[in-house]
Amino acid sequence: MINSIILSPEIQQAKSELRESLKLVLSEKSQADHDAASVTACALLTSAPEFAAASCVMIFLSMPGEIDTSSIALRCWQEGKTVVVPKIISWKDARMLPVEINSLSTSDLRAGVGGIREPIAGNPMPPAMIDMAIVPGLGFSLKGDRIGRGKGFYDRFLASGSFLGVSAGLCFESQCIDAVPVEPHDVPVAMIVTERGIRRFKSNCLSR
């Protein structure tokens, strides 16, 4: 359990400093560059064989500065795929529930704790039914290690043992760095997609 792990103060400090640095990188990207890179990265992801093979895809609903994932949802629906997004069920315990959505309409979504958009209603989806999980992050290492915003939601989800699909980090190339401080509970992704291309990490892949 993530909450039972004793966190290293040194690594926590390093992560905190890295988060601030990566937030600055994102804030300096112009809207034009953001939009163009988002389109390219999402097109690369939806052209990947891992996406083609997936019947159920979990996406994140983008926060300001993050890659816009709306085109991925639209592509899924065009191809008859099921789309699920996270809904926070316990902020304290860093627990989220994948919920199916059929629209990106503002009437079907709301801003939850921390300004994270989530569905108002929807059918829960067992993690074992999700073939591909598209994962956000402030930064990713060249080995697939990830640094998020520090709450642990995705680490808990990926480490649960219930999700057996492909985990794909989606970010801008400027968010890819040589190394990320890691702790025992941190879970690397199987692939990273940016506007520059796709990196795959066979050692991080889960077997069905």
Side-chain angles (χ1 to χ4, degrees), residues 130-187:
I130 300 172
D131 302 301
M132 185 179 208
I134 300 172
V135 182
L138 285 174
F140 292 87
S141 80
L142 300 181
K143 297 190 300 180
D145 293 316
R146 168 185 170 273
I147 182 167
R149 296 179 183 273
K151 303 303 181 184
F153 286 97
Y154 279 90
D155 286 318
R156 180 181 290 279
F157 174 81
L158 295 174
S160 67
S162 300
F163 171 68
L164 301 175
V166 176
S167 56
L170 181 64
C171 68
F172 298 112
E173 185 67 25
S174 57
Q175 294 172 263
C176 291
I177 55 180
D178 290 337
V180 167
V182 295
E183 294 173 285
H185 65 273
D186 293 324
V187 180

Side-chain angles (χ1 to χ4, degrees), residues 105-129:
S105 169
T106 54
S107 63
D108 296 326
L109 305 173
R110 66 182 176 192
V113 178
I116 300 173
R117 290 185 298 156
E118 60 183 21
I120 296 173
N123 296 322
M125 181 65 64
M129 299 296 292

Side-chain angles (χ1 to χ4, degrees), residues 52-125:
S55 297
C56 180
V57 179
M58 185 171 83
I59 67 169
F60 59 90
L61 295 172
S62 310
M63 296 182 66
E66 291 180 333
I67 282 183
D68 183 359
T69 59
S70 58
S71 64
I72 299 175
L74 296 175
R75 180 69 175 271
C76 284
W77 290 322
Q78 288 171 357
E79 297 186 5
K81 300 179 188 293
T82 300
V83 178
V84 298
V85 298
K87 182 174 185 177
I88 294 174
I89 57 174
S90 174
W91 188 265
K92 178 181 177 181
D93 296 327
R95 294 181 62 199
M96 61 187 191
L97 180 70
V99 172
E100 182 179 0
I101 61 169
N102 297 295
S103 166
L104 292 174
S105 169
T106 54
S107 63
D108 296 326
L109 305 173
R110 66 182 176 192
V113 178
I116 300 173
R117 290 185 298 156
E118 60 183 21
I120 296 173
N123 296 322
M125 181 65 64

Side-chain angles (χ1 to χ4, degrees), residues 11-29:
I11 294 181
Q12 287 297 294
Q13 179 63 29
K15 283 186 172 183
S16 178
E17 293 173 358
L18 181 56
R19 286 189 182 101
E20 293 307 311
S21 174
L22 290 166
K23 287 177 183 178
L24 181 61
V25 167
L26 285 177
S27 70
E28 292 176 341
K29 185 178 289 293

